[in-house]
Amino acid sequence: MVDGDLKAAFAVDARRYADDVAAREVVKEAGTALRERGQAGQFEFHEVTADEPVPFDLPGWDEYRDRVLHG
């Protein structure tokens, strides 16, 4: 939280996973990890085409988890 506002911290790009079910599991894992640490979390979902670049300059969940949450 910065200045009382939630700020984007990571992105989950569903295209990087085998299917939608796997991507949803990653979102659930991220939510659980944030709650366990007492961190606020809010998820936004955006549709992108298969060849469209990620519209955000954010790390993926795996990178965020490893670098910021330390695993």
Side-chain angles (χ1 to χ4, degrees):
M1 186 179 292
V2 177
D3 295 330
D5 294 326
L6 294 175
K7 299 291 182 183
F10 60 87
V12 175
D13 185 349
R15 300 172 294 179
R16 301 183 80 197
Y17 299 93
D19 54 33
D20 286 342
V21 173
R24 283 190 213 114
E25 286 300 316
V26 171
V27 171
K28 286 173 34 179
E29 174 191 328
T32 298
L34 294 175
R35 279 190 304 279
E36 287 174 350
R37 290 166 174 79
Q39 296 176 331
Q42 178 179 334
F43 293 90
E44 294 182 13
F45 297 88
H46 301 270
E47 289 190 30
V48 293
T49 61
D51 59 347
E52 187 177 349
V54 175
F56 311 104
D57 185 23
L58 298 169
W61 165 243
D62 293 332
E63 182 182 352
Y64 178 84
R65 181 190 61 219
D66 294 345
R67 291 189 180 177
V68 178
L69 303 181
H70 307 291

